[in-house]
Amino acid sequence: MPPPSPPDTPARMTPARLAFPAMLTGSAALAFGPWLVRLADVAPVSSAFWRLALAIGPLIVLARVATGVRRADSGAAVVRPSLSAVGVIALAGAFFAADLALWHLGIKRTTLANATLMGNSASFILPAYGFIVTRTLPGRSAIAALLCAAAGIGLLLGRSADVSGTHLVGDLICMAAGAFYAAYFIVVDRVRSQVAPLTLLAMATAFGAIALLPAALAMTAPGAGFWPHDWTPLILLAIGSQVIGQGLIIFAMGYLPPLVIGLTLLVQPAISATIGALRFGEGVSGVEALGMALVATALVLVRLPSRRVATV
């Protein structure tokens, strides 16, 4: 009689257990992006290009290190991405380039609160995509999480968001960016199981930078050109948002459903409100604190097991 299979060891369970904290940390790192875009002394599309271009080198190094670790652990050769997978990653890079270009343009044309909220419209697009793909209806905890998230965001940004003719163009641009961001996640999900996370992100980042370069060179203005005088905001943007933020999110995507991914992105508006309070002296009211609590409740609810009813 063969010996019984050993129980799951902590080493095996570690990636799955780390996925949700990684998603939270990655989303938190992204929350500082709009502030750094405002600090950069280049045109908006140029800052989007530099965010990607400056991140390519660190991502390649990290991807090679991770590949070496996997090879040492398994003893097997690492399979190169297929031509079709490369094509899908190139499409993901194009979607991400469109997202960043539009979002950075929108950040300059609307309030920070509006840009953060509308640029993360993927938070509600991704759960809908997940339910459609799996042909299921959301369970009670999922519905409660979505309602809490929607109410929390409404309260959190209800006072600071300014929907007016002055900011309408910027708001619409950020909403379009959010749609491209959701498309990026959906396309990445198609090849996430075929390509290692850091390799995938390095390739998508490189394709995105190539797609952004012509627009970045063309869309400059007096006082906001292509080459920066101060590299600090752009380096922080590349490392914080692209390497750390997107790196952790791409890792977490392999273990979390779209509903969890989408709602976890909502920590960004909450952190943006905190940045506003600390950096610009914008006090957080009781209503906004309640909004933060509702977003936190949504993140707790979305981690609870729920029954989903098939609709096939």
Side-chain angles (χ1 to χ4, degrees):
M1 178 180 296
S5 299
D8 287 333
T9 62
R12 286 185 191 173
M13 297 297 292
T14 295
R17 285 205 304 264
L18 289 177
F20 188 63
M23 186 70 204
L24 282 174
T25 305
S27 187
L30 292 175
F32 293 86
W35 179 30
L36 293 171
V37 171
R38 290 274 182 88
L39 293 178
D41 59 358
V42 295
V45 179
S46 296
S47 65
F49 166 77
W50 288 116
R51 163 178 166 168
L52 299 184
L54 293 173
I56 294 173
L59 285 172
I60 290 176
V61 172
L62 291 174
R64 287 185 176 275
V65 171
T67 299
V69 171
R70 289 197 308 274
R71 185 184 290 117
D73 288 343
S74 64
V78 177
V79 180
R80 293 179 179 275
S82 65
L83 186 60
S84 61
V86 172
V88 173
I89 296 172
L91 178 61
F95 280 140
F96 194 53
D99 160 52
L100 286 184
L102 290 171
W103 194 39
H104 284 210
L105 285 169
I107 288 171
K108 297 287 189 176
R109 292 169 178 256
T110 188
T111 64
L112 193 63
N114 288 27
T116 305
L117 173 61
M118 298 181 185
N120 281 285
S121 57
S123 297
F124 296 97
I125 297 174
L126 288 175
Y129 160 76
F131 295 134
I132 292 172
V133 168
T134 58
R135 298 182 181 182
T136 59
L137 294 175
R140 291 180 180 178
S141 62
I143 293 174
L146 287 168
L147 291 176
C148 279
I153 289 301
L155 292 175
L156 180 63
L157 299 178
R159 188 185 69 169
S160 56
D162 180 16
V163 181
S164 65
T166 304
H167 301 110
L168 180 59
V169 173
D171 294 341
L172 293 176
I173 290 174
C174 288
M175 288 182 66
F180 278 111
Y181 195 33
Y184 161 74
F185 278 125
I186 291 170
V187 172
V188 162
D189 188 56
R190 302 293 297 271
V191 292
R192 173 60 182 79
S193 61
Q194 304 174 37
V195 185
L198 286 173
T199 300
L200 192 163
L201 182 58
M203 294 175 65
T205 299
F207 282 122
I210 292 171
L212 277 173
L213 181 57
L217 290 172
M219 299 179 67
T220 59
F226 176 76
W227 293 100
H229 298 287
D230 182 7
W231 287 91
T232 303
L234 295 174
I235 293 173
L236 292 175
L237 184 65
I239 300 300
S241 293
Q242 196 64 20
V243 177
I244 297 175
Q246 288 296 328
L248 290 173
I249 288 175
I250 289 293
F251 160 75
M253 283 182 64
Y255 304 94
L256 300 174
L259 175 64
V260 178
I261 295 170
L263 293 189
T264 309
L265 293 175
L266 291 178
V267 304
Q268 294 180 54
I271 294 175
S272 292
T274 303
I275 294 174
L278 297 177
R279 179 64 180 84
F280 302 107
E282 300 172 356
V284 178
S285 68
V287 172
E288 290 169 321
L290 177 60
M292 292 182 186
L294 285 172
V295 170
T297 301
L299 295 176
V300 172
L301 289 173
V302 82
R303 296 296 292 160
L304 296 177
S306 64
R307 295 178 180 178
R308 294 187 292 182
V309 182
T311 59
V312 178

